[in-house]
């Protein structure tokens, strides 16, 4: 199976993911200076982090049976299995960028995201719990 060419430089992607995490996750302990999250991340930083993490999922689980959508930043197909060629794929995962990056970094579990309806997952193969966090 051919591996898709990366469009996001790995170092830039890792840096964007780290910067996103630093911007949205509290640091230190509650009540201490620096306990609040940093400034909101820019749209370009979010886009780079999302696109890098989607490429990383595809690199770790190549295939075409599951489509992961993080609008408006990116989409990828991953996980081995029956190839989808036309129309809406049978296995689709969709969520917003903040939810996706929380899953990728481990600050949100797959089970919690699905049970709170932050992730829409349809199809028998639409489960990334074994692959996340990255």
């Amino acid at each position: 199976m051919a591996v898709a060419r990366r469009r996001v430089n790995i170092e830039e992607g890792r840096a964007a993911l780290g910067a996103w995490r630093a911007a949205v996750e509290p640091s230190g302990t509650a009540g201490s200076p620096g306990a609040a999250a940093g400034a909101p991340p820019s749209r370009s930083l979010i886009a780079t982090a999302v696109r890098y993490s989607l490429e990383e999922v595809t690199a770790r689980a190549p295939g075409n049976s599951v489509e992961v959508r993080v609008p408006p930043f990116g989409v990828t197909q991953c996980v081995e299995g029956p190839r989808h060629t036309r129309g809406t794929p049978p296995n689709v995962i969709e969520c917003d960028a903040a939810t996706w990056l929380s899953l990728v970094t481990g600050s949100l579990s797959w089970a919690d995201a699905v049970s709170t309806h932050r992730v829409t997952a349809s199809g028998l193969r639409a489960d990334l719990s074994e692959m996340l966090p990255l």
Side-chain angles (χ1 to χ4, degrees):
M1 172 177 296
V3 177
R5 179 182 64 86
R6 285 191 181 258
R7 296 179 182 198
V8 176
N9 177 284
I10 293 174
E11 288 79 26
E12 289 176 15
R14 286 181 183 154
L17 198 54
W20 177 86
R21 189 175 200 166
V24 300
E25 292 183 359
S27 59
T29 58
S32 69
S42 69
R43 182 175 169 85
S44 64
L45 181 106
I46 294 169
T48 301
V50 167
R51 290 173 185 145
Y52 163 74
S53 58
L54 287 171
E55 288 178 359
E56 191 64 24
V57 166
T58 302
R60 293 181 186 198
N64 297 97
S65 68
V66 177
E67 186 167 287
V68 181
R69 301 173 181 167
V70 185
F73 300 109
V75 62
T76 193
Q77 291 187 352
C78 57
V79 182
E80 286 187 20
R83 182 172 174 80
H84 162 72
T85 55
R86 293 181 56 165
T88 301
N91 302 290
V92 177
I93 296 166
E94 187 167 343
C95 62
D96 61 79
T99 299
W100 175 252
L101 294 173
S102 294
L103 287 165
V104 166
T105 60
S107 61
L108 176 65
S109 73
W110 178 261
D112 288 342
V114 171
S115 69
T116 58
H117 306 287
R118 292 179 64 185
V119 168
T120 302
S122 63
L124 296 174
R125 296 176 183 266
D127 182 351
L128 299 181
S129 58
E130 296 296 318
M131 289 174 243
L132 299 172
L134 293 180

